Amino acid sequence: MARIGHAASAEDGSGFGMPGDQTGREVRFDYLGTDGNKWVYIYRYEKDATVANNIAEAVIQAVQNPHVGYSRETYTGWGLYHTRYGLWTAMHETGDIRKIEVNVNCDCSQLVSCACKIAGVPNVVREMVTASQDDILKKCGFVRYNYDVNAVIKGDVLWRSGHTAVVVEGAVAPESLGPSKTPKYRGRITEFTPVYRVAASSVFNLLLMHPALGKDNLVDVCDEEGDFYYVRIVDKYGFVPKGKLVKDEEKKEDVVLKIGDEVRFVGDAIYFTSYEKARSVPVSKFNGTINMIAEGSAHPYYVFSKSVDGWCDKKDLEKL
């Protein structure tokens, strides 16, 4: 059954409360269908599945942080953290919802704004309320669908008049958000080609960070769509025409990794466990040490550093 995370009510059941979660239920999880809401619309960020996933992860972090409570107050006389903007302010100060250690408040639409902002959605505004949410989310790139409890996926924003929430555990697989970002094989470019943001050839559609690839450039092929391959170029993704890419057959020596090896993590995210459906968290590149190896697992290598640790795949590691 799908679950949502939302800012629900203050400690006394009203719309105005003290900073922090005094009851453990002010900002909380609920199961769809038993949450008492008659949802009307689903807003889905289809441009980037990773960003959509991060929206849900940000809401999970807010629910799990006892310093995040509920209030619709906008008057700052009680202090900035007391208002609905408290989470927004503290989040920008720490850069991480998990690191907030002062009691703050938000309301339902502020929780959505904060989650979208920290997940990387462009054009998010602090002042969004449920009445303006439709227009703002569309301008941010969300696509609106009529609500269907059996169709929601992780990262969806739900709306009804007066309330909003984020799906943190969907009814269908998040992969439906877009092409897979998991590399399948290495591809070799056969001739000069532009790289496109979506599967269509247009000068207005160029991927500006990597506008072109030259002959014999190597890329990771992740998926395909129509006449295009979806490829990873370093840490960016884009589409190249199928006629300008072939599978790279060059054999490379398989690097053996063992416990104690110093490695460079070059992937996009690490996992909380080695299991196939483990929850992930986006991280930047870092150097660390292999502390454990779980042979046969989906994410078999446990990498540790002073600031980051977690499970990952071999393809995300470079031996130092």
Side-chain angles (χ1 to χ4, degrees):
M1 183 181 293
R3 288 198 306 165
I4 59 171
H6 58 146
S9 64
E11 60 271 12
D12 59 359
S14 72
F16 307 96
M18 297 299 294
D21 193 344
Q22 282 76 36
T23 66
R25 294 284 293 165
E26 295 183 45
V27 181
R28 64 177 186 255
F29 299 125
D30 278 310
Y31 285 102
L32 277 179
T34 63
D35 59 316
N37 291 288
K38 295 182 179 180
W39 301 108
V40 178
Y41 293 128
I42 296 171
Y43 294 86
R44 183 168 296 166
Y45 196 74
E46 296 184 336
K47 292 183 176 181
D48 192 323
T50 300
V51 171
N53 180 78
N54 290 346
I55 294 172
E57 290 298 319
V59 171
I60 290 171
Q61 292 167 10
V63 173
Q64 293 176 339
N65 189 331
H67 294 290
V68 181
Y70 181 95
S71 180
R72 296 200 308 269
E73 180 65 75
T74 57
Y75 174 61
T76 59
W78 289 98
L80 197 56
Y81 294 138
H82 184 97
T83 74
R84 68 189 292 264
Y85 304 126
L87 176 59
W88 180 280
T89 300
M91 179 185 76
H92 280 72
E93 291 173 349
T94 64
D96 190 331
I97 292 176
R98 294 167 297 184
K99 294 181 180 179
I100 296 175
E101 296 181 350
V102 295
N103 287 341
V104 300
N105 276 337
C106 65
D107 63 7
C108 62
S109 55
Q110 265 297 288
L111 179 60
V112 171
S113 293
C114 290
C116 291
K117 182 70 174 180
I118 204 165
V121 176
N123 305 319
V124 180
V125 296
R126 187 191 72 161
E127 288 72 18
M128 185 176 76
V129 295
T130 52
S132 63
Q133 187 168 327
D134 180 81
D135 182 59
I136 292 172
L137 290 186
K138 287 179 181 177
K139 289 180 179 178
C140 290
F142 285 81
V143 179
R144 191 183 78 184
Y145 297 97
N146 290 328
Y147 175 70
D148 180 350
V149 67
N150 296 311
V152 297
I153 58 181
K154 185 178 180 181
D156 281 351
V157 178
L158 306 183
W159 179 92
R160 67 160 173 81
S161 180
H163 196 47
T164 186
V166 170
V167 178
V168 298
E169 184 179 340
V172 295
E175 194 63 47
S176 62
L177 275 170
S180 171
K181 289 193 172 183
T182 302
K184 294 181 172 61
Y185 58 88
R186 182 61 63 91
R188 182 180 294 276
I189 301 299
T190 58
E191 59 181 292
F192 176 88
T193 180
V195 181
Y196 302 98
R197 292 184 294 109
V198 297
S201 300
S202 167
V203 68
F204 301 106
N205 182 34
L206 296 179
L207 184 67
L208 296 180
M209 294 301 294
H210 292 283
L213 292 169
K215 186 177 184 297
D216 290 330
N217 282 170
L218 297 177
V219 296
D220 291 319
V221 180
C222 303
D223 210 338
E224 56 184 280
E225 186 174 321
D227 295 328
F228 291 82
Y229 287 117
Y230 188 60
V231 303
R232 181 174 74 173
I233 313 160
V234 190
D235 58 348
K236 304 294 180 184
Y237 295 84
F239 291 89
V240 299
K242 286 185 175 178
K244 297 187 177 182
L245 182 150
V246 295
K247 187 173 183 179
D248 181 43
E249 301 295 343
E250 180 182 354
K251 301 297 182 181
K252 296 183 178 180
E253 182 181 355
D254 187 31
V255 177
V256 177
L257 297 176
K258 60 184 183 298
I259 293 174
D261 280 349
E262 300 292 326
V263 292
R264 171 74 171 168
F265 179 83
V266 295
D268 300 313
I270 58 173
Y271 298 86
F272 290 152
T273 73
S274 63
Y275 301 129
E276 182 176 357
K277 295 184 178 180
R279 190 152 58 93
S280 64
V281 58
V283 297
S284 301
K285 295 174 176 57
F286 66 92
N287 293 345
T289 304
I290 296 177
N291 278 17
M292 290 183 283
I293 300 177
E295 297 288 352
S297 298
H299 316 292
Y301 295 92
Y302 185 86
V303 181
F304 175 84
S305 74
K306 291 183 178 179
S307 57
V308 182
D309 63 280
W311 295 90
C312 62
D313 308 330
K314 186 175 184 179
K315 64 180 177 57
D316 294 328
L317 298 177
E318 292 179 353
K319 191 172 181 179
L320 298 177

